Amino acid sequence: MKRSVLVLIISLVCLSLAGIMGVQFFWIRNAIRLKEEQFDRSVNDAMVKTVNMLETRENISYIGRNYEGDSILSFTRSYSHDSTYSKIVRKKLDSLMTSEDEMNPLPSHP
């Protein structure tokens, strides 16, 4: 009788241990999947930010090449009647142009 109880207890302990190991396996697998998704999302966000920055730089460069006779400020003023808005736009464009000069400039197209 004692032997069959001992075998039953050992079997139940082994079964519960296997269950705990199974839960841990699924929990760890789920945690890894969530981290990979978070990493992918971060990479996509960084790529979108980089693409937007490059598009802005290219647009500024395009405006600078195609409106050489016109200054960028007069170009923006043609779209703005409010001098406050014009000052904000001028500051933003100046900062963008400065950051463009500091970074690797894009090659100019003929």
Side-chain angles (χ1 to χ4, degrees):
M1 179 80 170
K2 287 187 171 193
R3 183 168 171 89
S4 63
V5 172
L6 187 60
V7 170
L8 178 66
I9 290 174
I10 291 174
S11 299
L12 290 175
V13 168
C14 288
L15 184 65
S16 66
L17 187 59
I20 290 171
M21 288 173 55
V23 168
Q24 286 180 339
F25 171 75
F26 288 115
W27 182 78
I28 290 171
R29 192 174 65 169
N30 187 39
I32 290 171
R33 184 182 54 82
L34 288 175
K35 287 291 185 179
E36 287 175 347
E37 288 175 3
Q38 188 179 33
F39 175 77
D40 291 343
R41 200 172 322 120
S42 296
V43 168
N44 285 336
D45 290 344
M47 286 175 38
V48 166
K49 186 176 179 179
T50 302
V51 166
N52 288 337
M53 183 185 69
L54 289 173
E55 285 178 349
T56 301
R57 291 169 94 204
E58 185 157 337
N59 288 338
I60 290 172
S61 177
Y62 175 79
I63 290 171
R65 282 192 317 270
N66 292 322
Y67 295 97
E68 289 176 10
D70 249 351
S71 71
I72 294 176
L73 179 60
S74 63
F75 179 73
T76 57
R77 282 185 182 164
S78 67
Y79 290 99
S80 170
H81 299 295
D82 184 11
S83 63
T84 304
Y85 177 75
S86 181
K87 288 177 186 176
I88 293 170
V89 170
R90 179 179 38 200
K91 282 183 181 180
K92 183 65 177 170
L93 285 172
D94 287 345
S95 71
L96 288 172
M97 291 298 284
T98 302
S99 66
E100 180 183 356
D101 292 340
E102 291 173 358
M103 297 189 169
N104 296 332
L106 295 173
S108 59
H109 299 281

